[in-house]
Amino acid sequence: WVWFPDGYEYGLASLARPVAGYLQTAPRLVGLLAQAFPLAWAPAIFALAALVIQVLPPLFLASSRMAAAWPDTRGRLLFALVWLVLPNTREIYVNLTNAQWHIAALGFLVLLSRAPATAAGRGFDTAALAVCGLSGPFCIVLAPVAAWLAVVQRTRTALWRAGLLCAAAAVQAGVVVATVGERGATDLGGGPRMLARIVAQQVMAGALVGEHAMPDMVDLPLWQTNVLPLGIAAVGLVLAGLAVWHGRQPLRLLVLVAALLFAAALARPVVALTGAQWPLLQVPGVGQRYYYAPMLALMAALFTLAGGRSLGRRAAGCIPLLLLAVGIPGDFALAPRVPTGFAAQAKAFGGARDGLALPVQSVLRAVSNAAGQAVGLLGLPPARRAAWARASGPPLATTWLPLAKAPP
């Protein structure tokens, strides 16, 4: 991807270069940081940064600063653990390019948290919201929430948070308008029935039974006749509505933000450069970043019901959550990546003379390989490993980006 090459070529000026129609500060900062180390270290640096960003939101949720927003400590800690291994999230798992979705989740949690008592806490909140605001378009949705909280709470902390996100939203909105058309294909190619299939398969079932169970599910006759997807979507929406009705304000805000992000994603998805987009969103593993927020909202709704006072609400939340026993083990194993020879290419680049251009494989692809090897298959049988490798398609070594040794 562009994070390392742009950092190498443009330096700090790369921070002002939009990608896909908006600023992406977080991965660009990592790309700049990697310039201080040998090129061969870049995959490890990218993977480590992506991992840290990914675990920050669950850790923050588990902290005492979220106790007021979610008083049930046991439920909050259990949700944080499930969050770390949430099914149907392979696309955003230790992936620096898609880390913006985790950063947006952290920014939302900061808005709901109690005011920090220390200078370090205030610095963390400021940095988190600033990076959130300048990494993706999420601040355009979060800024109105921050402004509403500032009006309701009337505290200096809430006003400061709202000011940061509103300023970032103004910047990102300007970039989006200035780069309109850069996101490529906008042909949706679907209607209400396909929408129900996407919601039922990728959000409702994806969050519980995971990506690995989808092929068998969509082959069922009831799925082919639309009975099953319509039923799953309806039940999921009813359970979410029930949780919102009986839940606390933070859950309502989460559902609102998730719904807006999901609607925006479905209105202008980019999962292919050309052609209809919605049919591709029905393919297991495609566009998982778009389902992240609604899946978190669904899980929060089920946890809210599971912690309810009445036996009926507890059953309505606990019974679907039992399906995580299928989704988590099945989706938590990652396929090993095909070796790309990146280390040799990086070594050749490091020893090249000034002015010589060498085709160096995309650092993002190398990071994907490094992350896949580092996380491993967690004891998956050899036959299953081979099946995953076949399902992952052609080797990723076919994507190249040019890096040129700059002349003095």
Side-chain angles (χ1 to χ4, degrees):
W1 199 241
V2 300
W3 316 129
F4 189 95
D6 277 7
Y8 181 87
E9 183 174 356
Y10 301 107
L12 290 176
S14 64
L15 293 172
R17 294 177 64 85
V19 175
Y22 44 80
L23 298 179
Q24 274 271 41
T25 299
R28 288 207 179 278
L29 287 175
V30 177
L32 289 171
L33 173 65
Q35 306 303 317
F37 300 90
L39 177 59
W41 291 24
I45 294 172
F46 276 38
L48 179 60
L51 180 61
V52 170
I53 292 172
Q54 181 171 325
V55 301
L56 270 179
L59 288 179
F60 190 83
L61 176 65
S63 71
S64 59
R65 290 190 56 193
M66 292 299 299
W70 194 335
D72 181 7
T73 303
R74 287 183 298 179
R76 180 159 45 87
L77 294 179
L78 182 58
F79 183 90
L81 289 174
V82 171
W83 192 345
L84 289 170
V85 291
L86 186 68
N88 201 32
T89 55
R90 176 170 53 89
E91 187 182 73
I92 59 174
Y93 194 84
V94 195
N95 184 322
L96 185 63
T97 295
N98 289 330
Q100 56 178 320
W101 296 86
H102 301 296
I103 297 173
L106 178 62
F108 177 76
L109 292 180
V110 169
L111 291 180
L112 299 181
S113 67
R114 64 169 172 80
T118 64
R122 290 189 290 272
F124 175 85
D125 284 9
T126 300
L129 290 176
V131 174
C132 170
L134 297 177
S135 300
F138 308 97
C139 59
I140 298 175
V141 173
L142 293 178
V145 175
W148 182 80
L149 289 173
V151 172
V152 172
Q153 297 174 359
R154 298 185 180 182
T155 64
R156 293 180 60 184
T157 298
L159 287 172
W160 173 245
R161 293 169 175 173
L164 274 176
L165 281 182
C166 287
V171 172
Q172 291 283 25
V175 174
V176 169
V177 172
T179 59
V180 65
E182 288 191 7
R183 287 185 60 82
T186 57
D187 179 23
L188 300 182
R193 289 186 179 181
M194 190 174 293
L195 175 61
R197 284 173 172 256
I198 294 172
V199 172
Q201 175 184 328
Q202 302 285 21
V203 178
M204 308 298 184
L208 296 171
V209 299
E211 173 191 347
H212 77 286
M214 291 181 189
D216 293 332
M217 182 180 66
V218 299
D219 285 339
L220 296 173
L222 286 178
W223 185 274
Q224 299 298 328
T225 58
N226 287 319
V227 173
L228 191 56
L230 289 174
I232 292 176
V235 170
L237 292 175
V238 168
L239 292 179
L242 185 63
V244 168
W245 180 263
H246 293 282
R248 295 164 54 87
Q249 181 190 87
L251 175 65
R252 298 188 182 104
L253 292 176
L254 172 59
V255 171
L256 173 62
V257 169
L260 291 175
L261 291 177
F262 190 44
L266 290 180
R268 289 184 62 85
V270 178
V271 292
L273 296 179
T274 59
Q277 304 292 302
W278 278 19
L280 296 176
L281 291 177
Q282 298 178 91
V283 179
V286 173
Q288 289 174 330
R289 60 194 183 276
Y290 298 141
Y291 319 129
Y292 184 53
M295 286 196 303
L296 286 177
L298 174 65
M299 297 302 297
L302 294 177
F303 267 77
T304 297
L305 292 176
R309 296 181 180 180
S310 72
L311 179 61
R313 290 209 300 271
R314 289 200 296 269
C318 290
I319 291 175
L321 288 174
L322 292 176
L323 294 174
L324 288 171
V326 176
I328 291 176
D331 273 18
F332 195 61
L334 296 182
R337 296 298 187 181
V338 178
T340 63
F342 176 78
Q345 293 290 333
K347 183 177 179 180
F349 179 77
R353 66 181 184 273
D354 290 339
L356 177 65
L358 289 176
V360 179
Q361 292 172 7
S362 165
V363 172
L364 176 63
R365 298 289 180 167
V367 169
S368 298
N369 292 344
Q373 296 288 356
V375 178
L377 289 182
L378 303 176
L380 216 60
R384 182 94 181 272
R385 297 186 188 190
W388 269 101
R390 290 193 299 271
S392 63
L396 297 179
T398 56
T399 297
W400 299 71
L401 286 179
L403 280 177
K405 294 283 284 188

